[in-house]
Amino acid sequence: MAPCGAESVEFLDMAKVLTPQSEDFPRWYQDVITKAQLAENGPAKGSQVIRPSGYALWERMVEEMDARIKETGTENASFPLLIPESYFKKEADHVEGFAPELWMVTHGGGKQLEEPLAIRPTSETIIGEYMSKWTKSYRDLPLLLNQWCNVMRYELRTRLFLRSSEFLWQEGHTVHATYEEAHEFTLRILHEVYADFMENVLALPVLRGIKTEAERFAGALNTFGCEAIMRDGKALQMGTSHELGQNFAKAFDIQFLGSDGKQHHGWTTSWGTSTRMVGGLIMGHGDDDGLRVPPQLAPVQAHVMVVKDSDEVSAAAKKVYDELKGDGLRVRLDTRGDVAFGRRAVDAELKGYPVRIEIGPRDLKNGEATLVRRVSGTKETVPLGMLAEAVATALDADQQALFDESLELRESITADAGSVDEAIEAAQTGLARIAWDDCGVEGEARAAESGVTVRVLQRADGTVPDSLDESGLIAYLSRSY
RNA sequence: CGGGACGUGGCGCAGCUUGGUAGCGCACCCGCUUUGGGAGCGGGGGGUCGCAGGUUCAAAUCCUGUCGUCCCGACCA
């Protein structure tokens, strides 16, 4: 029966935990972060506190990304948080690009410092200094480094996970002997590390491409990026990979002796992804009931929940927990007897656990458990003996379902535009595709006035261009975070 | 940094117009009954009303400044 009358309306209001996405998306975003206890603002402007539920998501991202980064032969290291101001001045574009975002330490031990120290907004400069020391011979190359750390950028407008003054990230820095090697490595990171992780683990299809000059990293030759589409139709830059040419090699004197017996400048790259991806995960998959975390990423893949506490039920639940855990799944057992069923169910949905297994006296009597799937919202009863298999099947299917849903959304909001005006119009609610020749930097500047940016340029066949000099490129325009 | 809005227990808000010393819902604590979709009843704790000045016998309320948050723009992972 359709809900009607005052009682039903009141019920709906009470049942509503979050502001619906359709009503106010930014508010919804805030609500989920609060209700799922992911993060909150810190005392200093733009600072953020990441709570355990939010940090667990980041930790899983780190695990998956770190494995892929190491797969490329890159090693982790750690460089200082404080960077002498003079380092920034060595690369003209770089200092110009980052100057407005720098936090500067001017005092130490109660005394003014002789030279101010910048808190790293990114580490090209200080790592460049050491690359210079460590790169003596072509035998030292390629030098492949990465660090997981925090960085700080002064921000005027901040938003939890998406843009904060301090954030956590991974920054890779490499030196290669030739342009080709550096170029190839930049793209390898884009495809094999970033896009692979985002699509296969985060279940977010990403547009890969080259950034326009306006969107390029300060000091880079070319910037490549991965863009995901959020459920409100706006784009989010999920990661970037830069080929720096010899700009930093020249500024920091990164030279090596080649097999030809001559000195050569190295070719460097840098690439990064940050806690912003947590924001992308939230906005890319979340719905009106909360987060929907793809099974591959989920810190808790299966939530085993005792419905009514009793010795038999608890024992059965523990058995299921042990079995799933034995299968290598990330499982959480919820035997809380002092929190009502509904609250625990809603909480699990807010946190986005992919599957929930409810076990109560009724299930137990039938030798079953109830399997609730977060993505589809379906409930089914499964014989206990077949539970492990059913869970595994559900996790696989729902990982794919999230990806498909996101891809479908992207396709449904992508429109071809014949003119800049058409593109700006289409980009208000989605993704506009236009020939770069029909847009150009003039069109890009005009679009920017309407809050629309060129997210990425691709070749006509959807592959990633090697440079902006290629002809026949296609531009994707949209509003973005 | 420009334009707009807002800061009142943890969260969401009322009170401000017409100054008189703070209230509601949720959350929290205790007790009992409960647990298959945010449980019920009873009892209880917690706020110098963002901060700083000013006006006044008296300020959450009026004035000024400042800090912070949110939305829109410029800048960015």
Coordinates of all heavy atoms in Angstrom, one line a residue, chain A residues 68-113:
Chain A
R68 N 50.6 -1.8 -5.6 CA 50.8 -1.5 -7.1 C 52.0 -0.6 -7.3 O 52.7 -0.7 -8.4 CB 49.5 -0.8 -7.6 CG 48.3 -1.7 -7.7 CD 47.0 -1.0 -7.9 NE 45.9 -1.9 -8.2 CZ 45.3 -2.7 -7.3 NH1 45.7 -2.6 -6.0 NH2 44.3 -3.5 -7.6
I69 N 52.3 0.3 -6.5 CA 53.4 1.2 -6.6 C 54.7 0.4 -6.6 O 55.6 0.5 -7.4 CB 53.4 2.3 -5.6 CG1 52.3 3.3 -5.8 CG2 54.8 3.0 -5.5 CD1 52.1 4.3 -4.7
K70 N 54.7 -0.5 -5.6 CA 56.0 -1.3 -5.5 C 56.1 -2.3 -6.7 O 57.2 -2.6 -7.1 CB 55.9 -2.1 -4.2 CG 56.2 -1.2 -3.0 CD 56.1 -1.9 -1.7 CE 56.5 -1.0 -0.6 NZ 55.8 -1.2 0.7
E71 N 55.0 -2.7 -7.3 CA 55.0 -3.5 -8.4 C 55.8 -2.9 -9.6 O 56.3 -3.5 -10.5 CB 53.6 -3.8 -8.8 CG 53.4 -5.0 -9.7 CD 53.8 -6.3 -9.1 OE1 53.7 -6.5 -7.8 OE2 54.4 -7.2 -9.8
T72 N 55.8 -1.5 -9.6 CA 56.5 -0.8 -10.7 C 58.0 -0.7 -10.4 O 58.8 -0.1 -11.2 CB 56.0 0.6 -10.9 OG1 56.4 1.4 -9.7 CG2 54.5 0.6 -11.0
G73 N 58.4 -1.2 -9.2 CA 59.8 -1.2 -8.9 C 60.2 0.1 -8.0 O 61.3 0.3 -7.6
T74 N 59.1 0.8 -7.7 CA 59.3 2.0 -6.9 C 59.5 1.6 -5.4 O 58.8 0.7 -4.9 CB 58.1 3.0 -7.0 OG1 58.0 3.3 -8.4 CG2 58.3 4.2 -6.2
E75 N 60.4 2.4 -4.7 CA 60.6 2.1 -3.3 C 60.2 3.3 -2.4 O 60.3 4.4 -2.8 CB 62.1 1.8 -3.0 CG 62.6 0.6 -3.7 CD 64.1 0.4 -3.4 OE1 64.9 1.3 -3.8 OE2 64.5 -0.6 -2.8
N76 N 59.7 3.0 -1.2 CA 59.3 4.0 -0.3 C 60.5 4.6 0.5 O 61.4 4.0 0.8 CB 58.3 3.5 0.7 CG 56.9 3.3 0.1 OD1 56.5 4.0 -0.9 ND2 56.1 2.4 0.6
A77 N 60.3 5.9 0.7 CA 61.4 6.6 1.5 C 60.6 7.8 2.3 O 59.4 7.9 2.1 CB 62.4 7.2 0.6
S78 N 61.4 8.5 3.0 CA 60.7 9.6 3.8 C 61.6 10.8 3.7 O 62.8 10.8 4.0 CB 60.5 9.2 5.2 OG 60.0 10.2 5.9
F79 N 61.1 11.9 3.3 CA 61.8 13.2 3.2 C 61.2 14.2 4.2 O 60.1 14.1 4.7 CB 61.7 13.7 1.8 CG 62.5 12.9 0.8 CD1 61.9 11.8 0.3 CD2 63.8 13.2 0.6 CE1 62.7 11.0 -0.6 CE2 64.6 12.4 -0.3 CZ 64.0 11.3 -0.9
P80 N 62.0 15.3 4.6 CA 61.6 16.2 5.6 C 60.3 17.0 5.3 O 60.0 17.3 4.1 CB 62.8 17.2 5.7 CG 63.9 16.4 5.2 CD 63.4 15.5 4.1
L81 N 59.6 17.3 6.3 CA 58.4 18.1 6.3 C 58.7 19.6 6.0 O 58.0 20.3 5.3 CB 57.6 18.0 7.6 CG 56.5 18.9 7.9 CD1 55.3 18.5 7.1 CD2 56.1 19.0 9.4
L82 N 59.9 20.0 6.5 CA 60.3 21.4 6.4 C 61.3 21.5 5.2 O 62.3 20.8 5.2 CB 60.9 21.9 7.7 CG 59.9 21.9 8.9 CD1 60.7 22.3 10.2 CD2 58.7 22.8 8.6
I83 N 61.0 22.5 4.4 CA 61.8 22.7 3.2 C 62.3 24.1 3.2 O 61.5 25.1 3.3 CB 61.0 22.4 1.9 CG1 60.5 21.0 1.9 CG2 61.9 22.6 0.7 CD1 59.6 20.6 0.8
P84 N 63.6 24.3 3.0 CA 64.1 25.7 3.0 C 63.4 26.5 1.9 O 63.3 26.0 0.8 CB 65.6 25.5 2.7 CG 66.0 24.2 3.2 CD 64.7 23.4 3.0
E85 N 63.1 27.7 2.2 CA 62.3 28.5 1.2 C 63.1 28.6 -0.1 O 62.5 28.7 -1.2 CB 62.1 29.9 1.8 CG 61.2 30.8 1.0 CD 61.1 32.2 1.5 OE1 62.0 32.7 2.2 OE2 60.1 32.9 1.2
S86 N 64.4 28.7 0.0 CA 65.2 28.9 -1.2 C 65.0 27.8 -2.2 O 65.1 28.0 -3.4 CB 66.7 29.0 -0.8 OG 67.1 27.9 -0.1
Y87 N 64.7 26.6 -1.8 CA 64.5 25.5 -2.7 C 63.4 25.8 -3.7 O 63.4 25.4 -4.8 CB 64.2 24.2 -1.9 CG 65.4 23.5 -1.3 CD1 66.5 24.2 -0.9 CD2 65.4 22.1 -1.1 CE1 67.6 23.6 -0.3 CE2 66.5 21.5 -0.6 CZ 67.6 22.2 -0.1 OH 68.6 21.6 0.5
F88 N 62.4 26.4 -3.2 CA 61.2 26.7 -4.0 C 61.5 27.6 -5.1 O 60.9 27.7 -6.1 CB 60.0 27.2 -3.2 CG 59.3 26.1 -2.5 CD1 59.7 25.6 -1.3 CD2 58.2 25.5 -3.2 CE1 59.0 24.5 -0.7 CE2 57.6 24.4 -2.6 CZ 57.9 23.9 -1.4
K89 N 62.5 28.5 -4.9 CA 62.8 29.5 -5.8 C 63.6 29.0 -7.0 O 63.9 29.8 -7.9 CB 63.5 30.7 -5.1 CG 62.6 31.3 -4.1 CD 63.2 32.5 -3.4 CE 62.1 33.2 -2.5 NZ 62.8 34.1 -1.5
K90 N 64.1 27.8 -6.9 CA 64.9 27.3 -8.0 C 64.2 27.0 -9.3 O 64.8 26.9 -10.3 CB 65.7 26.0 -7.5 CG 66.7 26.3 -6.4 CD 67.5 25.1 -6.0 CE 68.5 25.5 -4.9 NZ 69.4 24.3 -4.6
E91 N 62.9 26.7 -9.2 CA 62.2 26.4 -10.4 C 61.1 27.5 -10.5 O 60.2 27.5 -9.7 CB 61.6 25.0 -10.4 CG 61.5 24.3 -11.7 CD 60.5 24.9 -12.7 OE1 59.5 25.4 -12.2 OE2 60.7 24.8 -13.9
A92 N 61.2 28.3 -11.5 CA 60.4 29.5 -11.6 C 58.9 29.3 -11.6 O 58.1 29.9 -10.8 CB 60.8 30.3 -12.8
D93 N 58.4 28.4 -12.5 CA 57.0 28.1 -12.6 C 56.5 27.5 -11.3 O 55.4 27.7 -10.8 CB 56.7 27.1 -13.7 CG 56.9 27.8 -15.1 OD1 56.9 29.1 -15.1 OD2 57.2 27.1 -16.1
H94 N 57.3 26.6 -10.7 CA 56.9 25.9 -9.5 C 56.7 26.9 -8.3 O 55.7 26.8 -7.7 CB 58.1 24.9 -9.1 CG 57.7 23.9 -8.1 ND1 56.7 23.0 -8.3 CD2 58.1 23.7 -6.8 CE1 56.6 22.2 -7.2 NE2 57.4 22.6 -6.3
V95 N 57.6 27.8 -8.1 CA 57.5 28.8 -7.0 C 56.3 29.7 -7.3 O 55.5 30.0 -6.4 CB 58.8 29.6 -6.8 CG1 59.0 30.5 -8.0 CG2 58.6 30.4 -5.5
E96 N 56.1 30.0 -8.5 CA 55.0 30.9 -8.8 C 53.6 30.2 -8.6 O 52.7 30.8 -8.0 CB 55.0 31.3 -10.3 CG 54.1 32.5 -10.7 CD 54.1 32.8 -12.1 OE1 55.2 32.6 -12.8 OE2 53.1 33.2 -12.7
G97 N 53.6 28.9 -8.9 CA 52.4 28.2 -8.8 C 52.0 27.9 -7.3 O 50.9 27.9 -6.9
F98 N 53.1 27.7 -6.5 CA 52.8 27.3 -5.1 C 52.9 28.4 -4.1 O 52.4 28.2 -3.0 CB 53.7 26.1 -4.7 CG 53.2 24.8 -5.1 CD1 53.7 24.1 -6.3 CD2 52.1 24.2 -4.5 CE1 53.2 22.9 -6.7 CE2 51.6 23.0 -4.9 CZ 52.1 22.3 -6.0
A99 N 53.5 29.5 -4.4 CA 53.6 30.6 -3.5 C 52.3 30.9 -2.7 O 52.4 31.0 -1.5 CB 54.2 31.8 -4.2
P100 N 51.2 31.0 -3.4 CA 50.0 31.4 -2.6 C 49.5 30.3 -1.6 O 48.7 30.6 -0.8 CB 48.9 31.6 -3.7 CG 49.6 31.4 -5.0 CD 50.9 30.8 -4.8
E101 N 50.0 29.1 -1.8 CA 49.6 28.0 -0.9 C 50.5 27.6 0.2 O 50.2 26.7 0.9 CB 49.3 26.8 -1.8 CG 48.2 27.0 -2.8 CD 48.0 25.7 -3.6 OE1 47.2 24.8 -3.0 OE2 48.5 25.5 -4.7
L102 N 51.6 28.3 0.2 CA 52.7 27.9 1.2 C 52.4 28.3 2.6 O 52.0 29.5 2.9 CB 54.0 28.5 0.8 CG 54.8 27.8 -0.4 CD1 56.2 28.4 -0.5 CD2 54.9 26.3 -0.1
W103 N 52.6 27.4 3.5 CA 52.7 27.8 5.0 C 54.2 27.9 5.3 O 54.9 27.0 4.9 CB 52.1 26.6 5.8 CG 50.6 26.5 5.7 CD1 49.9 25.8 4.7 CD2 49.6 26.9 6.6 NE1 48.6 25.9 5.0 CE2 48.4 26.5 6.1 CE3 49.7 27.6 7.8 CZ2 47.2 26.8 6.8 CZ3 48.5 27.9 8.5 CH2 47.2 27.5 8.0
M104 N 54.5 28.9 5.9 CA 55.9 29.2 6.2 C 56.2 29.2 7.7 O 55.5 29.8 8.4 CB 56.3 30.5 5.6 CG 57.7 30.7 5.2 SD 58.2 29.6 3.8 CE 57.6 30.5 2.4
V105 N 57.3 28.5 8.1 CA 57.7 28.5 9.5 C 58.8 29.6 9.6 O 59.8 29.5 8.9 CB 58.2 27.2 9.9 CG1 58.8 27.3 11.3 CG2 57.2 26.1 9.8
T106 N 58.6 30.6 10.4 CA 59.5 31.7 10.5 C 60.3 31.7 11.8 O 61.3 32.3 12.0 CB 58.8 33.0 10.4 OG1 57.8 33.1 11.4 CG2 58.2 33.2 9.0
H107 N 59.8 30.9 12.8 CA 60.4 30.9 14.1 C 60.7 29.5 14.6 O 59.9 28.5 14.3 CB 59.5 31.6 15.2 CG 59.5 33.1 15.0 ND1 58.8 33.7 14.0 CD2 60.0 34.1 15.7 CE1 58.9 35.0 14.0 NE2 59.7 35.3 15.1
G108 N 61.7 29.3 15.4 CA 62.0 28.0 16.0 C 62.8 28.3 17.3 O 63.6 29.2 17.3
G109 N 62.4 27.6 18.3 CA 63.1 27.8 19.6 C 63.0 29.2 20.1 O 63.8 29.7 20.8
G110 N 61.9 29.9 19.7 CA 61.6 31.2 20.2 C 62.4 32.3 19.4 O 62.3 33.5 19.7
K111 N 63.2 31.8 18.5 CA 63.9 32.8 17.7 C 63.5 32.8 16.2 O 63.1 31.8 15.7 CB 65.4 32.5 17.8 CG 66.0 32.8 19.1 CD 67.6 32.8 19.1 CE 68.1 31.5 18.5 NZ 69.6 31.3 18.7
Q112 N 63.7 34.0 15.6 CA 63.4 34.0 14.2 C 64.5 33.3 13.4 O 65.7 33.4 13.7 CB 63.4 35.5 13.7 CG 63.1 35.6 12.2 CD 62.3 36.9 11.9 OE1 62.1 37.8 12.7 NE2 61.8 36.9 10.7
L113 N 64.0 32.5 12.4 CA 65.0 31.7 11.7 C 65.7 32.6 10.7 O 65.2 33.6 10.2 CB 64.3 30.6 10.9 CG 63.5 29.6 11.8 CD1 62.7 28.7 10.9 CD2 64.4 28.8 12.7

